[in-house]
């Protein structure tokens, strides 16, 4: 039997499993939760975790402050090393540029921030707690 049989060409895999295998989410349950809360779209439409993903599908994934626009290049049910996972998809150049610009903006916003040199002592912790509870003063 040839490897180009119709069953392998149209074969797919569950969306939550693919997201986990492609290392977008650390666990399958996190991937399922992200899909259920609308953070993953296929072809511009919200999907269910059981939605079948096929090679060539366009996905929009929101993870934290990052937004990925990707095209599915391969299928896998197993979570492998990062280079193997990265071969499962191709991010569009526009998406990559948008993410890098957003990261640069976030870096620029915190340029004036300086982390404290040490942990706050007992007195400073009390003051910090008091500031959080303004009514206590």
């Amino acid at each position: 039997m040839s490897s180009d049989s119709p069953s392998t060409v149209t074969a797919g895999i569950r969306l939550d499993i693919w997201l986990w295998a492609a290392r977008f989410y650390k666990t399958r349950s996190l991937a399922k939760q992200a899909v259920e809360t609308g953070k993953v779209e296929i072809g511009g439409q919200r999907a269910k975790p059981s939605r079948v993903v096929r090679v060539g599908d366009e996905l929009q994934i929101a993870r934290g402050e990052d937004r990925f626009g990707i095209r599915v290049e391969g299928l896998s049910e197993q979570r492998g090393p990062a280079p193997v996972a990265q071969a499962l998809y191709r991010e569009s150049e526009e998406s990559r540029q948008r993410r890098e610009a957003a990261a640069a903006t976030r870096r620029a916003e915190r340029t004036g921030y300086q982390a404290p040199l040490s942990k706050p002592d007992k007195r400073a912790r009390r003051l910090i707690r008091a500031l959080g509870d303004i009514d206590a003063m």
Side-chain angles (χ1 to χ4, degrees):
M1 186 173 178
S2 74
S3 63
D4 294 4
S5 67
S7 63
T8 59
V9 172
T10 60
I13 187 170
R14 282 179 58 111
L15 177 59
D16 57 346
I17 294 174
W18 187 87
L19 289 168
W20 167 75
R23 293 180 165 260
F24 279 101
Y25 297 97
K26 214 170 205 179
T27 64
R28 183 173 163 204
S29 61
L30 287 174
K32 181 178 178 182
Q33 183 181 10
V35 174
E36 287 173 344
T37 57
K39 292 180 173 59
V40 179
E41 296 178 352
I42 297 179
Q45 297 179 342
R46 285 182 66 164
K48 293 183 179 179
S50 60
R51 166 78 192 268
V52 176
V53 176
R54 294 182 173 84
V55 174
D57 284 349
E58 301 283 334
L59 275 68
Q60 298 295 322
I61 302 169
R63 191 179 68 186
E65 294 181 8
D66 291 331
R67 306 283 182 262
F68 296 87
I70 63 165
R71 183 174 188 275
V72 177
E73 297 287 324
L75 302 175
S76 177
E77 291 185 1
Q78 294 181 339
R79 186 176 172 103
V84 173
Q86 290 170 352
L88 296 177
Y89 63 91
R90 181 178 316 274
E91 185 176 9
S92 68
E93 194 59 38
E94 175 187 329
S95 170
R96 178 176 287 124
Q97 290 172 355
R98 230 184 8 248
R99 275 191 319 107
E100 289 172 355
T105 303
R106 288 192 302 269
R107 276 193 301 275
E109 288 173 352
R110 63 175 182 252
T111 54
Y113 173 75
Q114 269 190 320
L117 299 175
S118 63
K119 290 183 179 179
D121 60 0
K122 187 174 186 177
R123 182 171 178 257
R125 283 195 306 271
R126 285 182 180 160
L127 288 171
I128 292 169
R129 250 193 313 263
L131 286 174
D133 189 15
I134 300 290
D135 298 332
M137 296 183 128

